[in-house]
Amino acid sequence: MTLLLPLFMAREAAAQSETKKATPPADHPLAGYRAGGFFLRDEKDLFILYPSLDLQIDHYNYFGPGVGDTNLKSTFAFRRTRLTFAGEFLKDWTFRLELEMGRTALDNLNGRDETSAAAPGAAPTATSGQYAPAQTARVVAQLVGAWVGYRVHPALNFRVGQALTSFSMENSTPPRSLQFMEKSLATRVLGSQVANGVDLHGLLWGTLGEDIVTYTVAFVNGAGPNRLDTDGRGDLMTRVYVRPLSTVSGIGELKGLHFGGSFSYGSRDPTWTHYDYNAMTTQGNYAFWRPNYRNSLIGRNVHVVPANNQIAAAGELRVPFSIFDLMAEVVYVDNGTREVVEGYQSQNPAYGPGTLGFGHMHGFGYYLHGGVWLFGPRTGGRIGETFKPARLNLSKPDSPHESSLQAMVRWEQVSLRYDGYSKTSAVTATGAPAFTGVGPYDGDIKVNAISGGLNYWATRHIRLTAQWTTYLFPDSAPPTPTHPGGPVCDAVACANRAQAPAQSLPGTPSNVPQSQLEARDNGHSLHELLFRAQVTF
C-alpha cells in the first residue's frame, strides 16, 4: 500500500482539478460524431456511450499445384459482423461489450456427422446410422469481448473480462486496424496461445513518463474465449514497450517509434485439459496443420492436446517515418502436448490407456513488414494498443479526412519442431489402445510466406483491401508413395508436418489424372488472392 499511496494522491489531486473546471460549454452536443466514432453522453460526462460496428466482407481465391482438385474454392464470406458498445462512466470507469453476430462457415462439410447409430432400442449395424445434412450453413453468434476497467492513475489501470490478450504487438491490435487482412503467422500461429488471441483475464496496465513506457501484466485463464479454466492453472502474460521519442517535437511520424517484448508462462494439467491444441491456418483459413490425425497403426483418431508447461516470448519493433511504416516481430514457443485417442481425452493419463504419450512443440516464427502511404494521411487506428480505452475530447477540433492509399509487403516464416511421443501399435482385449513403445515420430512444421497488398481508404470508415500471399511448405510430402520410390512420409509422421493442399490428393495412378499425381509429389505451395470490403465506425 505504501508504494501505491503516491498514485492515489496524484489521482486525488487530478480529481480536485477536474471539479474546478467549468461545466462543458452548452454548444457541446450530447450526441454526435467525433474522431471517427459516434457518442452519446450526459451534460457532465458522467456517462458516455460509444456504439460501433465492424463489418468485413471477404472474397477468397486459391491457386497452386493440385489446388483446383481440393475443396479450396473461391467464395464470398462474412469474416466479421460485430456490434460493440463501449463507454465511460463516473469519469474513471470504462467498459466494452463486443458481440459477433456470425461469420460464414459450413457444418458437416463431408457429410460424416452421425446423429444416431440406430433407432431407439435397436442394435447398431453397419447400415443403421443416420447422418446430419451435409454442408449446412453454420450460424454462430458469440461474445467476443466483455470487460470493465478502472483508472486509478495513468500509471495504474485495472481491467477484468474477456478481450484480446496483451501478448505481442499484433495481437494487441484490433482486427479493424491490422494493415493486412489477418495477423501474421508468427503472432496468429505461435503468439496466440488460444483461439484468435482472445481470453478471459484480469489485466493491470499503465503508462509512465508521458507515454514513453507502457506495461501490461495479465493473469489469463489460458483456455480461450467463452471457456472456463478447466484446470485452475492459467497463464501469466506481460508486455513492455518503449517509445523513446514520444516527447520529441519536430520529428513527425517518428515520434511513434517503439520497441518492446512480451513473455507468457502457463501450464496445462494433463488430467483436466481435454481440448485440442490450436490448428495452424493461412490468412485464407487453409489449415496446414491440424491437432488431430488418423493413427494408421491402431486405426483410431488421435488428438494433440495442450499439456504441462506452455512458454512463449516475443520481441517487437515499429518504425514509422515520413510516408513509411516498418514493423517486425519474432515469437518463440515451447509448449508441451499430450497425444490421446479420440474418446479417451478425459481419462486420467497416469493410468488410462488412451494417452499414447507426451509430445513437445517448440520453435520460432517472425515477420518483416514494410508499408508506404502512396497518397493521403495515415489511417487505420492504433497499432498494439487495443487495451487502452477510448476517451472523448470535445475541446479538440475534429479534422476532416481525405482518402488514402497504402501499399504493403510482408515476409514471414514459421519454423517449428514437433517431437511426438512413441505411438502405439496394439490394442487391449477391450479395444483400448495399449502403449508398446513404437516410434517416436517427429516432424518439422515449416512455412515460408511472402505477401503484397493494397489498402484504399475511401474515408476513415470505408476500406478496400486486395492482397496476394504465396505460402511454401518445404517439408510437405504425401502419406503414401504416388510411384514406387517416390516421396512419402509415414501417415503418422505426416500429421506432425505442415502440409500443402496437394498432399491431400488421392494417389492411385490407375484412376487419377497425371496432373494430380505430379502435384501430389511436387506441389509444395499455395497462393491466395484475397479481397475485403470493410465498414467500421
Side-chain angles (χ1 to χ4, degrees), residues 367-382:
Y367 72 87
L368 303 173
H369 172 108
V372 56
W373 294 91
L374 301 177
F375 65 79
R378 290 174 179 265
T379 311
R382 297 177 299 183

Side-chain angles (χ1 to χ4, degrees), residues 176-524:
R176 61 162 64 182
S177 299
L178 293 170
Q179 296 191 1
F180 278 93
M181 288 169 55
E182 305 293 342
K183 291 180 288 189
S184 67
L185 289 173
T187 54
R188 188 173 68 255
V189 171
L190 282 72
S192 298
Q193 298 292 294
V194 294
N196 301 315
V198 176
D199 209 334
L200 284 154
H201 61 271
L203 175 71
L204 170 69
W205 69 274
T207 60
L208 307 172
E210 298 184 28
D211 264 1
I212 293 179
V213 177
T214 300
Y215 74 91
T216 66
V217 179
F219 185 74
V220 185
N221 262 1
N226 305 310
R227 179 186 283 154
L228 295 174
D229 187 352
T230 59
D231 62 3
R233 293 187 175 182
D235 296 343
L236 180 66
M237 290 185 180
T238 183
R239 176 178 175 228
V240 177
Y241 61 92
V242 179
R243 289 181 170 170
L245 305 179
S246 64
T247 60
V248 179
S249 59
I251 59 174
E253 299 293 340
L254 199 56
K255 292 180 65 172
L257 179 146
H258 95 241
F259 56 88
S262 305
F263 180 77
S264 174
Y265 173 78
S267 181
R268 304 292 178 269
D269 188 339
T271 303
W272 301 107
T273 303
H274 311 145
Y275 52 84
D276 285 355
Y277 198 94
N278 280 340
M280 303 181 188
T281 62
T282 65
Q283 292 194 70
N285 207 35
Y286 165 68
F288 55 85
W289 183 88
R290 296 181 183 274
N292 50 72
Y293 63 92
R294 185 76 174 176
N295 189 316
S296 59
L297 299 177
I298 60 173
R300 304 286 288 271
N301 293 328
V302 174
H303 291 253
V304 179
V305 175
N308 303 317
N309 288 342
Q310 311 286 304
I311 301 172
E316 62 189 70
L317 173 67
R318 184 183 182 213
V319 185
F321 66 98
S322 183
I323 60 173
F324 302 99
D325 206 346
L326 306 179
M327 293 184 286
E329 290 192 86
V330 59
V331 182
Y332 174 81
V333 297
D334 191 339
N335 295 334
T337 65
R338 177 169 65 105
E339 296 187 38
V340 57
V341 174
E342 191 168 80
Y344 290 84
Q345 289 97 321
S346 63
Q347 200 165 54
N348 191 320
Y351 55 81
T355 296
L356 305 182
F358 293 88
H360 185 210
M361 182 84 72
H362 57 104
F364 69 92
Y366 70 91
Y367 72 87
L368 303 173
H369 172 108
V372 56
W373 294 91
L374 301 177
F375 65 79
R378 290 174 179 265
T379 311
R382 297 177 299 183
I383 302 294
E385 295 188 329
T386 188
F387 55 89
K388 293 183 177 181
R391 296 285 182 181
L392 180 63
N393 185 357
L394 291 175
S395 63
K396 183 179 180 180
D398 202 6
S399 58
H401 181 76
E402 304 172 7
S403 60
S404 57
L405 180 66
Q406 181 192 31
M408 309 164 294
V409 63
R410 181 167 72 189
W411 165 258
E412 50 192 321
Q413 186 176 62
V414 166
S415 181
L416 289 171
R417 175 72 175 173
Y418 185 70
D419 299 324
Y421 202 73
S422 302
K423 306 299 186 293
T424 182
S425 63
V427 295
T428 64
T430 61
F435 174 71
T436 58
V438 176
Y441 290 96
D442 302 327
D444 292 319
I445 302 174
K446 292 185 177 180
V447 186
N448 302 323
I450 186 167
S451 304
L454 293 171
N455 283 322
Y456 172 68
W457 295 85
T459 73
R460 67 179 64 181
H461 304 292
I462 300 175
R463 166 183 167 182
L464 303 177
T465 300
Q467 66 180 59
W468 174 282
T469 303
T470 294
Y471 296 93
L472 302 175
F473 307 93
D475 287 342
S476 62
T480 58
T482 305
H483 304 286
V488 64
C489 63
D490 179 272
V492 178
C494 279
N496 298 336
R497 299 189 185 189
Q499 292 287 71
Q503 272 71 66
S504 65
L505 297 173
T508 306
S510 60
N511 56 15
V512 175
Q514 184 63 31
S515 60
Q516 287 191 29
L517 300 179
E518 288 293 330
R520 193 171 185 265
D521 280 349
N522 304 307
H524 305 289

Side-chain angles (χ1 to χ4, degrees), residues 99-180:
L99 305 172
E100 175 66 69
M101 308 308 293
R103 57 176 296 188
T104 309
L106 293 175
D107 271 330
N108 197 16
L109 185 62
N110 298 313
R112 298 173 183 171
D113 290 353
E114 190 175 36
T115 58
S116 67
T125 68
T127 59
S128 64
Q130 296 184 354
Y131 296 83
Q135 296 180 335
T136 54
R138 180 188 303 171
V139 180
V140 179
Q142 65 177 355
L143 185 67
V144 176
W147 53 260
V148 61
Y150 181 70
R151 178 179 59 180
V152 177
H153 185 272
L156 184 62
N157 301 263
F158 299 94
R159 189 182 77 187
V160 61
Q162 178 169 289
L164 288 169
T165 57
S166 55
F167 180 91
S168 80
M169 176 172 61
E170 267 198 327
N171 202 58
S172 300
T173 301
R176 61 162 64 182
S177 299
L178 293 170
Q179 296 191 1
F180 278 93

